[in-house]
Amino acid sequence: MITNDVDLGGTWTPSDYLQGGSWFDIASSSTGQYLAAIIATPDAGVYLSQDFGTSWLKTSALPDFSGNSAYQAVASSGDGQYIAVVVSGGPLYVSKDFGENWTNCTG
């Protein structure tokens, strides 16, 4: 379960998005406004939130991987502008614009 907070830990509320899903990894900006997460099931992929985790959107700018390849880790810069995701046994993708566009950095 993913919970979110907008008052510095005073109140935690469950996010309604993909409850019961298998959240694999998550990265946050320093304020918590920008989040990036890897969800393994039921709709696998990289998901982004720009509102402290209240809503989530699966990025369509990254390839869908099936079989033995899957997204394994995600990292974010302090301001949330830069995001990196790595595929098991595969490429590293980096976004420099809050997850709008992605570049395969492993050439």
Side-chain angles (χ1 to χ4, degrees), residues 6-106:
V6 293
D7 60 1
L8 301 175
T11 307
W12 291 89
T13 56
S15 173
D16 291 333
Y17 197 80
L18 287 176
Q19 289 299 328
S22 179
W23 295 75
F24 190 77
D25 196 16
I26 192 164
S28 175
S29 65
S30 61
T31 64
Q33 178 180 356
Y34 298 98
L35 302 166
I38 297 171
I39 300 177
T41 58
D43 190 14
V46 176
Y47 287 75
L48 305 172
S49 173
Q50 296 185 349
D51 58 6
F52 299 93
T54 301
S55 62
W56 293 87
L57 180 64
K58 182 179 179 181
T59 180
S60 60
L62 284 169
D64 282 330
F65 289 99
S66 60
N68 294 331
S69 296
Y71 292 104
Q72 293 294 304
V74 61
S76 173
S77 62
D79 63 3
Q81 179 178 352
Y82 298 91
I83 306 166
V85 295
V86 66
V87 177
S88 176
L92 167 72
Y93 291 93
V94 173
S95 172
K96 298 178 182 178
D97 56 7
F98 300 92
E100 290 294 319
N101 299 287
W102 295 85
T103 301
N104 181 337
C105 293
T106 51

